Amino acid sequence: MRIEIWADVVCPWAYIGKRRLERALAAPETAGLEAEVVWRPFRIDPTAPARAVPLEEALRDPLMDGALARCAPGLTPAENRARVSAIAAEEGLGPPWGAAWRASSHDAHRLLALALDHGGAALQNEVAEQVMKAHFVEGLDISDRSRLKAVAERAGFPEGGPLLDTDAAERAVRESLLVGKARGIATSPTFVVGDRALAGAQAPETIAEFLTAGDRPRRALPEEVERLRYAESLLDRRDPLGALELLRPLLDEHGRDTGVRLLAARAYFASAQLRRARETLEELVAESPDDSYARLLLGRTLQRQGLADEAAVHLRLATTMSPGYA
């Protein structure tokens, strides 16, 4: 069984969730369960600065304080931090406990992706442990690459540190974040097995119940088809630029595929890249004059470009072929 943990390493619940998952896997009801744990990236603070700032300083920002208040309705940020600290202690984390820096986790996620590629799930899990220990127990700035290199050494992944000075895993992490969004991951941590998901650092008993509920493996699809579906999901979630990011390899390798081009045209239109949308749709209409949807979208694109007369021709043909478009 593969257990994916979609989580941010600067989220305290991710570290607590890791401990609770370990307890769930050690429980009698999961005995004999062969589990592979794989970490996937999530960002709880995508606006964190590239250069970390002391957390106490960051917490004086009213916007930051408001964001933390939304994480724990009814509690002040200070009360919530005390509550999380007590729960962490119950899971054997700390003392000391508590992040000291508001730090970007991007490079840490790159290190995790590299560990998975170079050493598999066991190495990646150890890197995740050491990264979160550095952040929450040792109070280190994990956005500092020199710190991450030391963490990688400690985790048994010395080759990972130098790779951070290249662009290794840069694209992989950015794409994984988009895939998580396309799959509806909205909480750190979220445990995923097959097509089932459990959001939050639930109690070990709840996690064990989730794991033993029956693994319904995700139906294996060709990588290109899965990428296309994720891109379409992002477009439906109003992220056309993310959709185009996932479509880029498909456009490079399968640039003449009608489905790929039509989805790209939709993303161009939704992101106001009207010239690209028009060029793509004009090609599609020339190749398939009876494609009413392509004509409809081309007509709307021309409308937005202020070309009302040209748009009218395509819109009229589209509604004639498909009256529902009227």
Side-chain angles (χ1 to χ4, degrees), residues 17-18 32 34 51-53 69 71 76 98 111 121 173 179 184 186 190 195 200 218 229 231 236 263 272 280 300 312:
K18 182 177 187 292
E34 294 184 7
R51 177 173 292 182
V53 296
C71 291
T76 67
L111 186 63
V173 168
V179 167
T190 296
D195 280 326
R218 298 180 67 238
R229 289 190 175 184
D236 292 341
L263 190 58
T280 304
R300 289 178 175 172

PDB file of all heavy atoms in Angstrom, residues 17-18 32 34 51-53 69 71 76 98 111 121 173 179 184 186 190 195 200 218 229 231 236 263 272 280 300 312:
ATOM      1  N   GLY A  17       1.035  14.785  12.456  1.00  0.00           N
ATOM      2  CA  GLY A  17       0.410  13.757  11.635  1.00  0.00           C
ATOM      3  C   GLY A  17       1.354  12.615  11.315  1.00  0.00           C
ATOM      4  O   GLY A  17       0.942  11.451  11.248  1.00  0.00           O
ATOM      5  N   LYS A  18       2.623  12.941  11.119  1.00  0.00           N
ATOM      6  CA  LYS A  18       3.618  11.894  10.867  1.00  0.00           C
ATOM      7  C   LYS A  18       3.706  10.950  12.055  1.00  0.00           C
ATOM      8  O   LYS A  18       3.720   9.723  11.906  1.00  0.00           O
ATOM      9  CB  LYS A  18       4.983  12.524  10.581  1.00  0.00           C
ATOM     10  CG  LYS A  18       6.092  11.524  10.258  1.00  0.00           C
ATOM     11  CD  LYS A  18       7.391  12.249   9.929  1.00  0.00           C
ATOM     12  CE  LYS A  18       8.462  11.279   9.451  1.00  0.00           C
ATOM     13  NZ  LYS A  18       8.927  10.370  10.502  1.00  0.00           N
ATOM     14  N   GLY A  32       0.834  -6.467   9.616  1.00  0.00           N
ATOM     15  CA  GLY A  32       0.969  -7.133   8.331  1.00  0.00           C
ATOM     16  C   GLY A  32       0.741  -6.234   7.137  1.00  0.00           C
ATOM     17  O   GLY A  32       0.898  -6.663   5.990  1.00  0.00           O
ATOM     18  N   GLU A  34       1.764  -3.837   4.548  1.00  0.00           N
ATOM     19  CA  GLU A  34       3.011  -3.369   3.942  1.00  0.00           C
ATOM     20  C   GLU A  34       2.759  -1.984   3.365  1.00  0.00           C
ATOM     21  O   GLU A  34       2.047  -1.837   2.378  1.00  0.00           O
ATOM     22  CB  GLU A  34       3.489  -4.335   2.861  1.00  0.00           C
ATOM     23  CG  GLU A  34       3.894  -5.706   3.405  1.00  0.00           C
ATOM     24  CD  GLU A  34       4.462  -6.601   2.320  1.00  0.00           C
ATOM     25  OE1 GLU A  34       4.670  -6.113   1.189  1.00  0.00           O
ATOM     26  OE2 GLU A  34       4.693  -7.782   2.619  1.00  0.00           O
ATOM     27  N   ARG A  51      13.812  35.163   1.918  1.00  0.00           N
ATOM     28  CA  ARG A  51      14.721  35.222   3.060  1.00  0.00           C
ATOM     29  C   ARG A  51      13.878  35.198   4.329  1.00  0.00           C
ATOM     30  O   ARG A  51      13.016  36.058   4.537  1.00  0.00           O
ATOM     31  CB  ARG A  51      15.581  36.489   3.007  1.00  0.00           C
ATOM     32  CG  ARG A  51      16.504  36.650   4.201  1.00  0.00           C
ATOM     33  CD  ARG A  51      17.454  37.812   4.021  1.00  0.00           C
ATOM     34  NE  ARG A  51      18.417  37.556   2.954  1.00  0.00           N
ATOM     35  CZ  ARG A  51      19.390  38.394   2.623  1.00  0.00           C
ATOM     36  NH1 ARG A  51      19.524  39.555   3.260  1.00  0.00           N
ATOM     37  NH2 ARG A  51      20.214  38.099   1.638  1.00  0.00           N
ATOM     38  N   ALA A  52      14.101  34.216   5.168  1.00  0.00           N
ATOM     39  CA  ALA A  52      13.279  34.020   6.361  1.00  0.00           C
ATOM     40  C   ALA A  52      13.360  35.220   7.301  1.00  0.00           C
ATOM     41  O   ALA A  52      14.360  35.942   7.341  1.00  0.00           O
ATOM     42  CB  ALA A  52      13.720  32.756   7.094  1.00  0.00           C
ATOM     43  N   VAL A  53      12.274  35.416   8.043  1.00  0.00           N
ATOM     44  CA  VAL A  53      12.249  36.455   9.074  1.00  0.00           C
ATOM     45  C   VAL A  53      11.901  35.788  10.401  1.00  0.00           C
ATOM     46  O   VAL A  53      11.190  34.763  10.427  1.00  0.00           O
ATOM     47  CB  VAL A  53      11.224  37.563   8.744  1.00  0.00           C
ATOM     48  CG1 VAL A  53      11.613  38.288   7.474  1.00  0.00           C
ATOM     49  CG2 VAL A  53       9.821  36.980   8.615  1.00  0.00           C
ATOM     50  N   ALA A  69      -5.460  33.309  12.901  1.00  0.00           N
ATOM     51  CA  ALA A  69      -6.748  33.235  13.589  1.00  0.00           C
ATOM     52  C   ALA A  69      -7.743  32.395  12.794  1.00  0.00           C
ATOM     53  O   ALA A  69      -8.559  31.661  13.370  1.00  0.00           O
ATOM     54  CB  ALA A  69      -7.300  34.640  13.811  1.00  0.00           C
ATOM     55  N   CYS A  71      -7.028  29.844  11.093  1.00  0.00           N
ATOM     56  CA  CYS A  71      -6.650  28.438  11.224  1.00  0.00           C
ATOM     57  C   CYS A  71      -7.280  27.795  12.457  1.00  0.00           C
ATOM     58  O   CYS A  71      -7.429  26.567  12.502  1.00  0.00           O
ATOM     59  CB  CYS A  71      -5.129  28.305  11.321  1.00  0.00           C
ATOM     60  SG  CYS A  71      -4.274  28.721   9.794  1.00  0.00           S
ATOM     61  N   THR A  76      -7.127  32.746  20.051  1.00  0.00           N
ATOM     62  CA  THR A  76      -6.153  33.727  19.621  1.00  0.00           C
ATOM     63  C   THR A  76      -4.944  32.960  19.072  1.00  0.00           C
ATOM     64  O   THR A  76      -4.736  31.773  19.397  1.00  0.00           O
ATOM     65  CB  THR A  76      -5.689  34.615  20.779  1.00  0.00           C
ATOM     66  OG1 THR A  76      -4.947  33.810  21.713  1.00  0.00           O
ATOM     67  CG2 THR A  76      -6.873  35.265  21.474  1.00  0.00           C
ATOM     68  N   GLY A  98       8.561  24.490  18.695  1.00  0.00           N
ATOM     69  CA  GLY A  98       8.087  25.744  18.119  1.00  0.00           C
ATOM     70  C   GLY A  98       9.034  26.301  17.091  1.00  0.00           C
ATOM     71  O   GLY A  98      10.239  26.396  17.324  1.00  0.00           O
ATOM     72  N   LEU A 111      14.280  19.153  -1.723  1.00  0.00           N
ATOM     73  CA  LEU A 111      15.131  18.141  -1.111  1.00  0.00           C
ATOM     74  C   LEU A 111      14.360  16.831  -0.920  1.00  0.00           C
ATOM     75  O   LEU A 111      14.903  15.742  -1.151  1.00  0.00           O
ATOM     76  CB  LEU A 111      15.659  18.648   0.231  1.00  0.00           C
ATOM     77  CG  LEU A 111      16.687  17.750   0.939  1.00  0.00           C
ATOM     78  CD1 LEU A 111      17.953  17.615   0.105  1.00  0.00           C
ATOM     79  CD2 LEU A 111      17.024  18.311   2.316  1.00  0.00           C
ATOM     80  N   ALA A 121      11.415   5.814  -0.884  1.00  0.00           N
ATOM     81  CA  ALA A 121      10.512   6.342   0.135  1.00  0.00           C
ATOM     82  C   ALA A 121      11.133   6.362   1.527  1.00  0.00           C
ATOM     83  O   ALA A 121      10.895   7.293   2.299  1.00  0.00           O
ATOM     84  CB  ALA A 121       9.225   5.517   0.150  1.00  0.00           C
ATOM     85  N   VAL A 173       8.649  19.884  -8.226  1.00  0.00           N
ATOM     86  CA  VAL A 173       7.900  20.402  -7.079  1.00  0.00           C
ATOM     87  C   VAL A 173       6.762  21.309  -7.538  1.00  0.00           C
ATOM     88  O   VAL A 173       5.625  21.198  -7.056  1.00  0.00           O
ATOM     89  CB  VAL A 173       8.834  21.145  -6.106  1.00  0.00           C
ATOM     90  CG1 VAL A 173       8.035  21.931  -5.064  1.00  0.00           C
ATOM     91  CG2 VAL A 173       9.758  20.150  -5.416  1.00  0.00           C
ATOM     92  N   VAL A 179      -0.593  19.480  -9.250  1.00  0.00           N
ATOM     93  CA  VAL A 179      -1.327  18.212  -9.233  1.00  0.00           C
ATOM     94  C   VAL A 179      -2.142  18.097  -7.943  1.00  0.00           C
ATOM     95  O   VAL A 179      -3.306  17.680  -7.963  1.00  0.00           O
ATOM     96  CB  VAL A 179      -0.365  17.020  -9.389  1.00  0.00           C
ATOM     97  CG1 VAL A 179      -1.071  15.701  -9.059  1.00  0.00           C
ATOM     98  CG2 VAL A 179       0.198  16.972 -10.806  1.00  0.00           C
ATOM     99  N   GLY A 184      -7.636  18.324  -5.528  1.00  0.00           N
ATOM    100  CA  GLY A 184      -8.473  18.829  -4.450  1.00  0.00           C
ATOM    101  C   GLY A 184      -7.841  18.785  -3.081  1.00  0.00           C
ATOM    102  O   GLY A 184      -8.542  18.891  -2.070  1.00  0.00           O
ATOM    103  N   ALA A 186      -6.467  20.213   0.033  1.00  0.00           N
ATOM    104  CA  ALA A 186      -6.673  21.554   0.587  1.00  0.00           C
ATOM    105  C   ALA A 186      -6.216  21.681   2.031  1.00  0.00           C
ATOM    106  O   ALA A 186      -6.368  22.759   2.624  1.00  0.00           O
ATOM    107  CB  ALA A 186      -8.154  21.937   0.488  1.00  0.00           C
ATOM    108  N   THR A 190      -2.748  15.829   4.376  1.00  0.00           N
ATOM    109  CA  THR A 190      -3.821  14.993   3.848  1.00  0.00           C
ATOM    110  C   THR A 190      -3.207  13.656   3.472  1.00  0.00           C
ATOM    111  O   THR A 190      -2.227  13.611   2.720  1.00  0.00           O
ATOM    112  CB  THR A 190      -4.483  15.637   2.614  1.00  0.00           C
ATOM    113  OG1 THR A 190      -5.118  16.854   2.989  1.00  0.00           O
ATOM    114  CG2 THR A 190      -5.525  14.709   2.010  1.00  0.00           C
ATOM    115  N   ASP A 195      -7.720   6.284  -4.317  1.00  0.00           N
ATOM    116  CA  ASP A 195      -8.613   7.413  -4.584  1.00  0.00           C
ATOM    117  C   ASP A 195      -9.246   7.960  -3.309  1.00  0.00           C
ATOM    118  O   ASP A 195     -10.114   8.815  -3.364  1.00  0.00           O
ATOM    119  CB  ASP A 195      -9.732   6.988  -5.554  1.00  0.00           C
ATOM    120  CG  ASP A 195      -9.255   6.974  -6.990  1.00  0.00           C
ATOM    121  OD1 ASP A 195      -8.423   7.812  -7.345  1.00  0.00           O
ATOM    122  OD2 ASP A 195      -9.727   6.108  -7.755  1.00  0.00           O
ATOM    123  N   GLY A 200      -6.248  16.124   7.466  1.00  0.00           N
ATOM    124  CA  GLY A 200      -5.925  16.515   8.822  1.00  0.00           C
ATOM    125  C   GLY A 200      -5.141  15.464   9.583  1.00  0.00           C
ATOM    126  O   GLY A 200      -5.101  14.289   9.213  1.00  0.00           O
ATOM    127  N   ARG A 218      -5.970   3.592  -7.485  1.00  0.00           N
ATOM    128  CA  ARG A 218      -6.354   4.489  -8.567  1.00  0.00           C
ATOM    129  C   ARG A 218      -6.134   3.779  -9.890  1.00  0.00           C
ATOM    130  O   ARG A 218      -5.126   3.127 -10.112  1.00  0.00           O
ATOM    131  CB  ARG A 218      -5.521   5.777  -8.521  1.00  0.00           C
ATOM    132  CG  ARG A 218      -5.718   6.553  -7.251  1.00  0.00           C
ATOM    133  CD  ARG A 218      -4.875   7.823  -7.221  1.00  0.00           C
ATOM    134  NE  ARG A 218      -5.318   8.769  -8.220  1.00  0.00           N
ATOM    135  CZ  ARG A 218      -4.551   9.251  -9.189  1.00  0.00           C
ATOM    136  NH1 ARG A 218      -3.310   8.844  -9.320  1.00  0.00           N
ATOM    137  NH2 ARG A 218      -5.005  10.124 -10.048  1.00  0.00           N
ATOM    138  N   ARG A 229      -5.937  15.389 -17.676  1.00  0.00           N
ATOM    139  CA  ARG A 229      -7.058  15.501 -16.736  1.00  0.00           C
ATOM    140  C   ARG A 229      -6.755  16.482 -15.610  1.00  0.00           C
ATOM    141  O   ARG A 229      -7.630  17.232 -15.187  1.00  0.00           O
ATOM    142  CB  ARG A 229      -7.387  14.115 -16.170  1.00  0.00           C
ATOM    143  CG  ARG A 229      -8.023  13.191 -17.191  1.00  0.00           C
ATOM    144  CD  ARG A 229      -8.562  11.931 -16.563  1.00  0.00           C
ATOM    145  NE  ARG A 229      -9.269  11.116 -17.533  1.00  0.00           N
ATOM    146  CZ  ARG A 229      -9.901   9.983 -17.223  1.00  0.00           C
ATOM    147  NH1 ARG A 229      -9.920   9.555 -15.971  1.00  0.00           N
ATOM    148  NH2 ARG A 229     -10.530   9.294 -18.155  1.00  0.00           N
ATOM    149  N   ALA A 231      -4.765  19.044 -15.838  1.00  0.00           N
ATOM    150  CA  ALA A 231      -4.814  20.384 -16.429  1.00  0.00           C
ATOM    151  C   ALA A 231      -6.259  20.853 -16.563  1.00  0.00           C
ATOM    152  O   ALA A 231      -6.588  22.019 -16.278  1.00  0.00           O
ATOM    153  CB  ALA A 231      -4.122  20.381 -17.796  1.00  0.00           C
ATOM    154  N   ASP A 236     -10.918  24.115 -14.500  1.00  0.00           N
ATOM    155  CA  ASP A 236     -12.221  24.169 -13.822  1.00  0.00           C
ATOM    156  C   ASP A 236     -12.116  24.883 -12.472  1.00  0.00           C
ATOM    157  O   ASP A 236     -13.103  25.454 -11.992  1.00  0.00           O
ATOM    158  CB  ASP A 236     -12.771  22.764 -13.613  1.00  0.00           C
ATOM    159  CG  ASP A 236     -13.161  22.084 -14.925  1.00  0.00           C
ATOM    160  OD1 ASP A 236     -13.338  22.806 -15.927  1.00  0.00           O
ATOM    161  OD2 ASP A 236     -13.263  20.840 -14.947  1.00  0.00           O
ATOM    162  N   LEU A 263      -7.763  22.251 -25.158  1.00  0.00           N
ATOM    163  CA  LEU A 263      -7.653  22.598 -23.743  1.00  0.00           C
ATOM    164  C   LEU A 263      -6.708  23.788 -23.561  1.00  0.00           C
ATOM    165  O   LEU A 263      -6.965  24.682 -22.744  1.00  0.00           O
ATOM    166  CB  LEU A 263      -7.157  21.398 -22.942  1.00  0.00           C
ATOM    167  CG  LEU A 263      -7.219  21.547 -21.420  1.00  0.00           C
ATOM    168  CD1 LEU A 263      -8.631  21.836 -20.943  1.00  0.00           C
ATOM    169  CD2 LEU A 263      -6.687  20.293 -20.736  1.00  0.00           C
ATOM    170  N   ALA A 272      -6.647  35.405 -20.628  1.00  0.00           N
ATOM    171  CA  ALA A 272      -6.604  36.624 -21.450  1.00  0.00           C
ATOM    172  C   ALA A 272      -5.422  36.662 -22.408  1.00  0.00           C
ATOM    173  O   ALA A 272      -4.995  37.736 -22.828  1.00  0.00           O
ATOM    174  CB  ALA A 272      -6.616  37.876 -20.570  1.00  0.00           C
ATOM    175  N   THR A 280      -4.684  29.399 -32.081  1.00  0.00           N
ATOM    176  CA  THR A 280      -4.941  27.975 -31.875  1.00  0.00           C
ATOM    177  C   THR A 280      -6.327  27.592 -32.372  1.00  0.00           C
ATOM    178  O   THR A 280      -6.500  26.572 -33.055  1.00  0.00           O
ATOM    179  CB  THR A 280      -4.802  27.625 -30.378  1.00  0.00           C
ATOM    180  OG1 THR A 280      -3.513  28.019 -29.911  1.00  0.00           O
ATOM    181  CG2 THR A 280      -4.985  26.139 -30.142  1.00  0.00           C
ATOM    182  N   ARG A 300     -16.088  33.968 -29.242  1.00  0.00           N
ATOM    183  CA  ARG A 300     -15.966  34.737 -28.001  1.00  0.00           C
ATOM    184  C   ARG A 300     -14.602  35.403 -27.902  1.00  0.00           C
ATOM    185  O   ARG A 300     -14.479  36.516 -27.368  1.00  0.00           O
ATOM    186  CB  ARG A 300     -16.202  33.821 -26.811  1.00  0.00           C
ATOM    187  CG  ARG A 300     -17.661  33.380 -26.683  1.00  0.00           C
ATOM    188  CD  ARG A 300     -17.876  32.434 -25.529  1.00  0.00           C
ATOM    189  NE  ARG A 300     -19.283  32.109 -25.343  1.00  0.00           N
ATOM    190  CZ  ARG A 300     -19.731  31.196 -24.501  1.00  0.00           C
ATOM    191  NH1 ARG A 300     -18.867  30.519 -23.737  1.00  0.00           N
ATOM    192  NH2 ARG A 300     -21.026  30.952 -24.393  1.00  0.00           N
ATOM    193  N   ALA A 312     -19.250  37.345 -35.061  1.00  0.00           N
ATOM    194  CA  ALA A 312     -20.644  36.995 -35.339  1.00  0.00           C
ATOM    195  C   ALA A 312     -20.754  35.798 -36.272  1.00  0.00           C
ATOM    196  O   ALA A 312     -21.648  34.951 -36.111  1.00  0.00           O
ATOM    197  CB  ALA A 312     -21.374  38.196 -35.923  1.00  0.00           C
TER     198      ALA A 312
END
